[in-house]
Amino acid sequence: LSDENIRYQIITFLIAGHETTSGLMSFTLYFLVNNPEVLERAYEEVDRVLGRDIGVMPTPQQVSHLIYVQQILNESLRLYPTAPAIGLYPYKDEIIGGKYKLKKNTFVTLLTLMLHRDPSVWGPEPEKFNPENFSREAEAKRPVNAFKPWGNGQRACIGRQFAMQEATLVMGMLLQRFQFFDHKKYQLKIKESLSIKPDGFTLKVKLRPGLTRSAATLGAA
């Protein structure tokens, strides 16, 4: 890429990345407070991988070992991909699924919200929040095009790896530090702008018991 193109891509990262990632984090927190067994398992993994000393910054290696946290994030993206549709058109006449004729350059919209709820792929309860949908075994059995929260082909999200690394890191640090309380008994309502997100969703938090902060880090701060 030219220097100019690289600058454009960095701007895209900053503008397109902050809203979509914050939406992902909001949906993830909503699902966690409504699925206490998933939350407890996430706490267990974070404590095992990151430890209880919040004065020690996580390393990239530790973040890569937050496997269940990544499964939770992916399941949130399945049910509510923050970019809920993909625009496509064929370069030549096509027949989709062996029966739907599509003329060259005909614009179509793929609703990922519906793609991610196909019971033939996701089972009889596709609306159920289940991070096991993204275990290694489940992913190996799934059709390659069944999960498309990042777009498609050459135009897929350039920031995918960055966004997942960022979201896993932030979610891991939140889980390491806080208990979450749904103080308003929130009922999910979707707000749509450039992306989708929970509308009016707030939580109260409290520091988890048993945390420590290393004296060396306190001195440095």
Side-chain angles (χ1 to χ4, degrees):
L1 299 179
S2 68
D3 287 351
E4 182 182 38
N5 199 333
I6 291 171
R7 289 198 300 273
Y8 289 155
Q9 298 303 336
I10 291 171
I11 292 170
T12 300
F13 265 55
L14 294 174
I15 295 174
H18 80 277
E19 181 174 339
T20 49
T21 305
S22 67
L24 165 59
M25 299 289 291
S26 298
F27 280 120
T28 300
L29 289 169
Y30 164 78
F31 283 122
L32 284 174
V33 296
N34 283 280
N35 293 272
E37 70 288 350
V38 174
L39 179 59
E40 284 304 313
R41 185 172 168 186
Y43 278 139
E44 185 279 327
E45 179 181 73
V46 166
D47 290 348
R48 174 169 41 82
V49 174
L50 301 184
R52 306 307 308 280
D53 186 348
I54 61 174
V56 178
M57 290 298 295
T59 66
Q61 291 75 21
Q62 286 175 313
V63 174
S64 70
H65 285 107
L66 293 174
I67 304 299
Y68 192 63
V69 172
Q70 293 173 25
Q71 290 178 218
I72 292 169
L73 290 165
N74 276 322
E75 179 68 350
S76 298
L77 281 172
R78 179 183 75 83
L79 287 170
Y80 289 101
T82 52
I86 303 170
L88 303 163
Y89 66 84
Y91 292 132
K92 56 182 176 54
D93 292 354
E94 296 281 3
I95 298 179
I96 306 298
K99 58 181 177 179
Y100 299 106
K101 294 182 179 180
L102 200 60
K103 292 289 187 182
K104 174 183 176 180
N105 293 335
T106 301
F107 188 85
V108 295
T109 300
L110 168 63
L111 296 176
T112 46
L113 283 164
M114 301 309 297
L115 174 69
H116 295 170
R117 286 169 165 76
D118 184 348
S120 70
V121 174
W122 304 100
E125 297 181 288
E127 297 278 355
K128 182 180 179 180
F129 181 77
N130 179 17
E132 290 306 309
N133 282 321
F134 291 90
S135 67
R136 290 182 180 178
E137 296 77 14
E139 288 191 306
K141 295 176 182 177
R142 189 158 52 244
V144 66
N145 290 317
F147 182 60
K148 289 287 184 178
W150 306 98
N152 189 60
Q154 292 181 339
R155 300 294 182 181
C157 177
I158 192 174
R160 175 177 182 171
Q161 287 84 357
F162 173 76
M164 282 301 293
Q165 184 87 347
E166 178 184 42
T168 305
L169 170 64
V170 174
M171 186 57 63
M173 294 178 73
L174 289 172
L175 287 164
Q176 184 189 34
R177 287 160 169 74
F178 297 114
Q179 296 173 302
F180 305 105
F181 301 94
D182 181 11
H183 60 296
K184 292 184 177 179
K185 304 299 181 185
Y186 175 78
Q187 298 296 311
L188 183 60
K189 180 181 178 182
I190 302 298
K191 178 180 180 180
E192 184 173 0
S193 52
L194 289 174
S195 62
I196 60 172
K197 57 188 73 67
D199 188 21
F201 176 52
T202 59
L203 291 173
K204 287 188 175 181
V205 300
K206 180 180 179 182
L207 281 174
R208 294 178 63 202
L211 295 174
T212 62
R213 185 189 291 269
S214 59
T217 304
L218 281 172

